[in-house]
Amino acid sequence: MSEPTIGVLALQGDVREHIAALNACGAQAIPVRRRAELDAVDGLVIPGGESTAMSRLLGVFDLYDPLVARLRDGLPAYGSCAGMIMLASRILDTRPDARHLDALDITVRRNAFGRQVESFEADLAFSGITDLPGAEPMRAVFIRAPWVEEAGPGVDVLATVDEGPAAGRVVAVRQRNVLATSFHPEVTGDVRVHQFFVDMVGAA
């Protein structure tokens, strides 16, 4: 696949930033708000935002059931921050009426790193990216971020926090065609996570 079409769910979050990063990696990126747009993509990015509001908006736009169906059929997906929460199978500290997409066998905790004022940055080792020859650590931006409390046996852990009170917490995972990070790579200018996902879409 020379130029995959990758959608960015355009209900909340850094939609333009994700589209710019994907385009920089050789994909044709489009915003997705309608069923026809979802049907046209080879992969989908679910950006940050507020996960309970996002789950409600998926219903308002009649995208929830079609998206669940496409994910079950193997649609490659990448979720950042709230996108990780949406893709998870189990969510801690959420509202009882919030729905999720059940595409990753993980348990996540919402707002695990604290409130907006406790946002922070950290350098990470990211398996498959920073372990390449000559690669530098990845600067990760965490904004009201979740972390992975538990990952199932089929889930690959790609990155953990190395220092501070959250040392050892899992912040990037992959299970087959689904990728998720606690942090926001679209805000740093480092497109390596997006390139990693574009390559996943191409391989799928």
Side-chain angles (χ1 to χ4, degrees):
M1 184 182 299
S2 58
E3 188 181 77
T5 299
I6 300 180
V8 178
L9 189 64
L11 305 180
Q12 279 192 326
D14 295 334
V15 176
R16 288 179 298 177
E17 290 85 351
H18 279 293
I19 286 176
L22 292 165
N23 286 334
C25 295
Q28 179 181 354
I30 63 170
V32 170
R33 293 188 190 88
R34 299 175 179 84
R35 172 71 181 271
E37 294 162 345
L38 177 63
D39 291 343
V41 301
D42 305 305
L44 182 71
V45 172
I46 303 176
E50 208 286 319
S51 57
T52 53
M54 196 178 299
S55 70
R56 180 181 61 81
L57 289 169
L58 280 169
V60 170
F61 283 82
D62 293 323
L63 285 173
Y64 179 82
D65 290 333
L67 179 51
V68 168
R70 287 220 60 193
L71 289 167
R72 287 177 178 166
D73 287 342
L75 175 73
Y78 163 50
S80 64
C81 198
M84 169 186 271
I85 297 169
M86 291 301 302
L87 290 168
S89 295
R90 298 167 299 280
I91 306 169
L92 304 177
D93 298 331
T94 193
R95 286 170 38 168
D97 60 341
R99 297 191 294 178
H100 49 91
L101 300 168
D102 199 20
L104 279 169
D105 183 16
I106 58 174
T107 301
V108 298
R109 185 174 295 280
R110 292 177 72 241
N111 301 333
F113 289 100
R115 297 172 297 170
Q116 187 91 10
V117 296
E118 296 166 297
S119 301
F120 70 101
E121 299 182 19
D123 287 330
L124 302 179
F126 193 113
S127 180
I129 296 179
T130 63
D131 50 3
L132 299 176
E136 297 181 354
M138 179 168 294
R139 191 67 174 171
V141 176
F142 296 86
I143 304 170
R144 294 182 63 201
W147 64 43
V148 178
E149 291 253 340
E150 183 179 41
V155 177
D156 295 324
V157 173
L158 302 181
T160 59
V161 175
D162 292 335
E163 299 178 348
R169 293 296 185 179
V170 174
V171 293
V173 292
R174 177 183 179 179
Q175 184 175 14
R176 296 186 296 274
N177 289 337
V178 182
L179 174 71
T181 64
S182 299
F183 54 92
H184 291 265
E186 76 280 2
V187 302
T188 65
D190 184 344
V191 299
R192 288 180 292 173
V193 171
H194 291 85
Q195 186 64 63
F196 189 89
F197 180 59
V198 170
D199 292 343
M200 284 174 54
V201 175

